[in-house]
């Protein structure tokens, strides 16, 4: 008799809004569990990721109670995983094992049974994973049939599990059915029954219909709550499975494993689910590939072609988004520091706490972008930095010395060293190779990175917005291929693209041709070659010296910037710009660009204070561009974070500032997201150059 | 000014015939090096794999001398690699590091400079490799532009190297040009010059034209020696590069690295060169994919589709060929044993020697099959087993106890234990789950596995042979897609396929319908379900008991086979077949199948001796099928290996035997290869069953 495997994965990102989780619980997790519990013959294999699990333990013990009784009765099997749902292949092996064991311990503690399976976060497969999984004590996992088809297997041979291995370490791997993923819960139960019956005629004795997917499709996805619960889809679905129990046996994955043998051996390529392959590609390739997939559907020979088409791999998000790369490498730095500590004889609760913060920071959502915000969501990135800094604070690795020192290390793994200055309160991460800019500015008492911006990257899907023309908010436009929703009017005006990651203390030479608007639109002309140019770096007595011999409009210039911590919470960046020839160009301006996630949002709790005051001081975070002449002081106040930063200039400057808004896709459609503010301080250039200094002080409020 | 990078990789498999290596040296390696040495401005980056390197050191020191002078003068850079050219990702990390360091040490010792780059065997990339490469002390490698295109990059952005990393461990990776690989040395130098000049118009300052390929294309590949050397192609090519030196600068890879920065960051999927993707797929998928690639070339939109097409991954050879899987897992067992020993305080030259044997056994060629024989070549497989057994002998891990014991372990990583019996001279590897068969029969004094056969697997390319119809030897037939050569007449008659790996002591129930020919053709009817069925296994007093409750023609039977080592070089397999009902079928036969690579070839040095004698005793290894009735004794004599095996039967049997021939592609075209002999001993079945025993004795001669 064939089997039916029903596997559900529930997950909430670390750092997600409390209200969002509560809504998801109310609309999906709880009604789902209650519904299936009423059909005790329907077996469930379920995974709740650790952050959500802890949240339920604390806020909704009734969920855990019900699930526990279902485990006790044999109706449900609980899977393990990396505790905070990391993409396993990109975190250190030590952390992989530790996070998986942490989850297994928790499952055993709560449900009395150690899990046998691992839910693989985002189904991101790499061939070395079996060794990790086995070493962590687990024996099976479920990915998509897509993974298997990319290994050359035929869909008809996917009615069970396969053996795969690395270095002889064996795991059992199940192919979740794409067809079932598209049917459940989106089609009528009748259609699903027909599909199962048709499938049944192909299934061999011992074969299974295998479903594995996100639990949020039952109630969280737009429109699904009404359909799945209010209109009774889920209950009808379970009823249908019960009705067919004579020929289709509902089993947990472990029950299946104990009854049936493997179909063979398989080796999967680096892949995730099909859509991830579209998202992970570089923008142009992503668009080309997505369109190709659509076009191929209409081709006579489409199935044969589609079988061998593959998109990008998950790790490519680190090449696609330097901000994701930085997050990841910053996380690796913390992990390495903790690992080093743990080999020393220095036990203590601090290190244990630090590890938990690190693991939370490894939660995958903030590191990539598909159609669910992810990296584009500032609150998720903020939470990663918060957890990383907290980990450092707990372990005592953030600031160990007496005074500030300059340390060189290739933090972002681009083959060139960063220069890191740490004081008791601050962490300053400069990248000499990338314009000598400041790419991370930590204020440790609030566990915040004030430099947590995101550039306006071109996305492969932006053309869909453009092809709609000017649209009104809420409009739905059906492009050639799919429905696209727009949350807000005039979004296409925000499709301005940056060419590099946004940092601070980066230099431009501008003339009258550059205007605030052209600068915002990234369509100005930079007369110099300093912005994103390569700087030499050296350190002397705690001062970081960054210098570059470059040119502007054919004249040689040396730009020297000296960075020095003044005390625990302030630092100075001193500029000396020397011209190699005496030239005077009246409208020549030396401009220093800062990009800060401070204020952290465009809400009313945040404001700027400048001297002289800005024309729309309260509104600066609300989407407006502006200019202030003769500015000497700027205060950036964020009452949400409880941080105030003051910037004092040694000479008056003209300030341009504008909010950085990205346009990205989320489940609700296209949306604009505030990613910080760009501040451009402009100084006149004399015939032999100029000098100016910035003093930055950060404090809690 | 753009650059030209010229990188050559020379390799000979461990175990290749001495004369083949000598020919390759004479036709390619030596004339190539002499030719380039005469053009001192042409820079060369070169890799000779360790086995070949050692062979040259011993047999042709003049090559090493010349290369040393080229390194000293700065004309040549020598790359490192895994010493015996293993596919890195499938050997244990400890062995990876050790083999790479061994090669680096050798290069430093001979050339005075430690290598900076690694030649990646078969360009088989997996994402975790950067950690290994960095830990082994190397910093760059070269793969194909194909790898980069599969990561979504555009060909126009491949004029330099990229940074990639794993866990923050950075390596620099070059994309070798496919266009140059197809031009060099196969097209006129003029055409190549045109290509370079056209490329030059696209190259940006600092870009490079990057060539990296096998040195055997210069002289070893059919027809190339005449073209490349006698007709002066190579000299003219170097002259052309010299002529264009004003705009195209010839550099070694390290020179390029020291001058130019990375183009960006990249993350490559699990891939090798394009053709490997075709070969690694399962047979049906391989054929479908290969045809698709051809068809797509002709499509209007072909380029766009081709960009995203991907084939299989290298590891899939272990799923495709159980013999490759066994070789690999057997190698892992030896590696694990050596690794365990090395952590014990038991130093000594034996372990060092053992490691060298192990590393030789890791040489990639025998583990896969593309178009160069590989796994299909018995002498390569034989060498792997020889080196593995020698490693065990050197380390003392092959037989450690006093008497024979039965050990259970999942050797082939299929999730089910094998049973291993080792005596002083023998190693017997039974697989209860796979018909309870004997899949490896080691005779350690000669370091030989007598069970080293290969099944007749269907290959994706066989249809090309069939579509040619009956062809004569030497004929060339142009199929739709390509030229196919046939080395021998009537090969299509050998296209009979097996459904499983060939082992020994596997059982059939046959009746009169089964004939020798139908058995050879695998088109007989097995009345029982014992062949490849699942056996229960247990051990008692050194006896392995394998039993299965099955049926034959609806009647229940129990087959029990007891395996026991009799002394250091002999063992007995005792059969007891019990019928659950009393039935007598006159033509019912119980048949025991053995498949042995003994004699190891079909040359005249090998023969059988049987009692009663075989009709064509001398000819049995030469391709004939035959039957002997009433056989009681069979001697298998291999004067090449110096081994004699005697099989004594407790009851007279009818013996069928035929040589196993595979049909595979090699660079010379389709060829038939002897892969051992199949022996089928048939016994009458009484109404309550039957009993019989095989005694096998192996000795050196």
């Amino acid at each position: 008799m064939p089997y039916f495997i029903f596997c559900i994965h529930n997950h909430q990102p670390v750092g997600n809004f409390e209200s969002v989780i509560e809504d998801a619980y109310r609309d999906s997790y709880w009604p789902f569990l209650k519904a299936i519990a009423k059909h005790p013959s329907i077996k469930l294999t379920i995974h709740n990721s650790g952050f959500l699990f802890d949240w339920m333990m604390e806020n909704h013990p009734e969920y855990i109670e019900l699930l526990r009784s279902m485990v006790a009765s044999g109706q449900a099997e609980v899977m393990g995983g990396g505790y905070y749902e990391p993409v396993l292949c990109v975190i250190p092996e030590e952390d992989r094992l530790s996070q998986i064991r942490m989850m297994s311990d928790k499952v055993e503690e709560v449900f009395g049974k150690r899990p046998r399976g691992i839910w693989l976060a985002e189904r991101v497969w790499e061939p070395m994973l079996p060794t990790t999984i086995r070493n962590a004590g687990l024996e099976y996992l479920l990915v998509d049939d897509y993974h298997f088809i990319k290994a050359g297997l035929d869909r008809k041979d996917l009615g069970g599990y396969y053996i795969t291995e690395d270095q002889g370490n064996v795991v059992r791997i199940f192919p979740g059915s794409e067809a079932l993923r598209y049917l459940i819960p989106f089609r009528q139960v009748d259609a699903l029954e027909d599909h199962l019956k048709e499938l049944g005629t192909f299934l061999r004795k011992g074969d299974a219909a295998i479903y594995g997917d996100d639990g949020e499709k039952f109630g969280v996805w737009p429109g699904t709550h009404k359909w799945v619960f209010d209109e009774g889809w889920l209950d009808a679905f379970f009823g249908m499975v019960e009705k067919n129990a004579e020929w289709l046996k509902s089993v947990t994955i472990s029950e299946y494993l104990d009854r049936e043998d493997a179909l063979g051996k398989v080796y999967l390529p680096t892949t995730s689910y099909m859509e991830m392959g579209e998202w992970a590609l570089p923008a142009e390739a992503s668009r080309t590939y997505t369109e190709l997939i659509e076009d191929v559907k209409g081709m006579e020979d489409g199935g044969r072609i589609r079988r061998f088409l593959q998109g990008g791999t998950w790790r490519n998000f680190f090449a696609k988004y330097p901000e994701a790369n930085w997050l990841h490498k910053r996380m690796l730095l913390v992990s390495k520091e903790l690992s080093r500590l743990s080999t020393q004889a220095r036990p203590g609760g601090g290190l244990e706490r630090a590890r938990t913060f690190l693991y939370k920071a490894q939660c995958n959502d903030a590191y990539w972008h598909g159609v669910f915000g992810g990296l584009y969501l500032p609150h998720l990135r903020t939470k990663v930095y918060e957890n990383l800094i907290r980990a450092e604070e707990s372990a005592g690795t953030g600031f160990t010395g007496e005074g500030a020192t300059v340390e060189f290390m290739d933090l972002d793994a681009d083959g060139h060293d960063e220069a890191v200055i740490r004081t008791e309160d601050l962490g300053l991460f400069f990248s000499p190779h990338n314009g000598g800019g400041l790419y991370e500015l930590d204020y440790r008492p609030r566990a915040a990175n004030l430099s947590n911006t995101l550039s306006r990257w071109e996305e492969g899907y932006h053309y869909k917005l453009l092809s709609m023309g000017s649209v009104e908010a809420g409009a739905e436009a059906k492009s050639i291929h799919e429905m696209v929703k727009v949350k807000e009017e005039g979004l296409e005006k925000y499709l301005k693209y940056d060419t590099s990651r946004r940092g601070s203390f980066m230099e431009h030479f501008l003339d009258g041709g550059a205007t605030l608007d052209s600068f915002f639109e990234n369509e100005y002309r930079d007369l110099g070659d300093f912005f994103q140019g390569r700087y030499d770096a050296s350190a002397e007595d705690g001062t970081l010296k960054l210098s570059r011999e470059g040119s502007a409009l054919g004249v040689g210039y040396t730009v020297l910037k000296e960075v020095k911590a003044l005390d625990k919470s302030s630092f100075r960046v001193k500029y000396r710009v020397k011209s190699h020839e005496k030239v005077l160009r009246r409208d020549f301006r030396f401009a220093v660009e800062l990009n800060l996630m401070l204020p952290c949002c465009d809400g009313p709790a945040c404001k700027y204070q400048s001297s002289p005051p800005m024309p729309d001081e309260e509104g600066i975070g609300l989407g407006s561009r502006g200019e202030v002449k003769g500015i000497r002081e700027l205060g950036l106040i964020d009452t949400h974070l409880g941080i105030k930063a003051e910037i004092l200039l040694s000479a008056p400057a003209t300030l341009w500032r504008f909010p950085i808004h990205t346009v990205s896709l989320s489940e609700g459609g296209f949306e604009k997201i505030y990613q910080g503010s760009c501040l451009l301080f402009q100084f006149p250039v004399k015939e032999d150059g100029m000098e100016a200094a910035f003093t930055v002080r950060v404090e809690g409020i």
Side-chain angles (χ1 to χ4, degrees), chain A residues 317-511:
Chain A
F317 288 114
F318 299 151
K320 189 171 180 175
Y321 303 110
E323 295 89 348
N325 181 60
W326 188 277
L327 271 179
H328 176 247
K329 304 308 179 294
R330 184 73 174 85
M331 175 278 285
L332 290 180
L333 174 66
V334 175
S335 178
K336 198 191 269 180
E337 284 168 344
L338 299 193
S339 176
R340 189 175 43 77
L341 275 188
S342 68
T343 61
Q344 296 169 5
R346 197 176 129 167
L351 189 55
E352 270 315 297
R353 273 201 310 281
R355 280 226 190 77
T356 303
F357 285 125
L358 168 66
Y359 299 157
K360 285 183 178 173
Q362 291 171 340
C363 180
N364 74 82
D365 304 76
Y367 292 87
W368 63 285
H369 171 62
V371 79
F372 297 113
L375 176 71
Y376 275 88
L377 302 176
H379 65 287
L380 294 189
R381 299 197 308 269
T382 294
K383 204 69 186 180
V384 174
Y385 284 112
E386 182 188 317
N387 280 314
L388 291 177
I389 295 168
R390 290 231 162 109
E392 290 180 333
E393 293 295 294
S394 300
T397 58
F399 176 66
T400 49
E402 284 295 300
T405 53
V406 183
E407 198 185 345
F408 290 94
M409 64 177 87
D410 180 10
L411 184 125
D412 60 357
D414 70 348
H416 299 282
D417 276 353
E418 274 60 56
V420 184
I421 302 174
R422 306 213 208 197
T423 72
E424 202 177 322
D425 284 359
L426 302 178
L428 311 176
F429 294 73
F430 285 88
S431 192
H433 190 71
N434 299 297
L438 173 67
Y439 288 95
E440 181 173 337
L441 168 48
D442 294 342
Y443 181 60
R444 277 209 297 278
R446 294 284 183 274
N449 167 19
L450 310 182
S451 195
N452 178 20
T453 60
L454 186 77
S455 288
R456 300 168 301 181
W457 301 113
E458 186 168 3
E459 291 289 350
Y461 52 69
H462 278 156
Y463 77 98
K464 292 180 188 170
L465 184 61
L466 288 171
S467 68
M468 291 162 69
S470 190
V471 287
E472 287 170 27
E476 294 190 12
K478 190 158 181 165
S479 77
I480 299 168
H481 302 315
E482 58 184 272
M483 296 291 289
V484 180
K485 276 194 189 181
V486 176
K487 285 185 168 180
E488 193 179 337
E489 207 167 325
L491 278 189
E492 67 281 3
K493 284 181 286 186
Y494 289 89
L495 290 182
K496 308 298 171 188
Y497 299 122
D498 298 318
T499 48
S500 56
R501 185 177 168 212
R502 291 189 169 270
S504 292
F505 300 107
M506 320 267 279
E507 300 77 32
H508 306 271
F509 281 86
L510 305 177
D511 66 10

Side-chain angles (χ1 to χ4, degrees), chain A residues 240-282:
Chain A
M240 181 274 286
V241 177
E242 280 168 337
K243 204 180 77 188
N244 287 282
E246 277 201 9
W247 67 273
L248 190 68
K249 186 172 175 55
S250 177
V251 286
T252 64
I253 292 184
S254 283
E255 284 173 341
Y256 185 82
L257 277 175
D258 292 342
R259 285 160 191 250
E260 298 296 333
D261 213 343
L263 295 175
K265 197 168 266 192
V266 76
Y267 293 89
L268 307 176
T270 42
T271 195
S272 172
Y273 42 88
M274 200 273 287
E275 298 85 349
M276 187 67 90
E278 299 178 13
W279 302 331
L281 282 171

Side-chain angles (χ1 to χ4, degrees), chain A residues 213-224:
Chain A
D213 207 349
D214 296 344
E216 290 79 17
K217 287 189 176 175
F218 302 84
V220 175
W221 280 33
T224 54

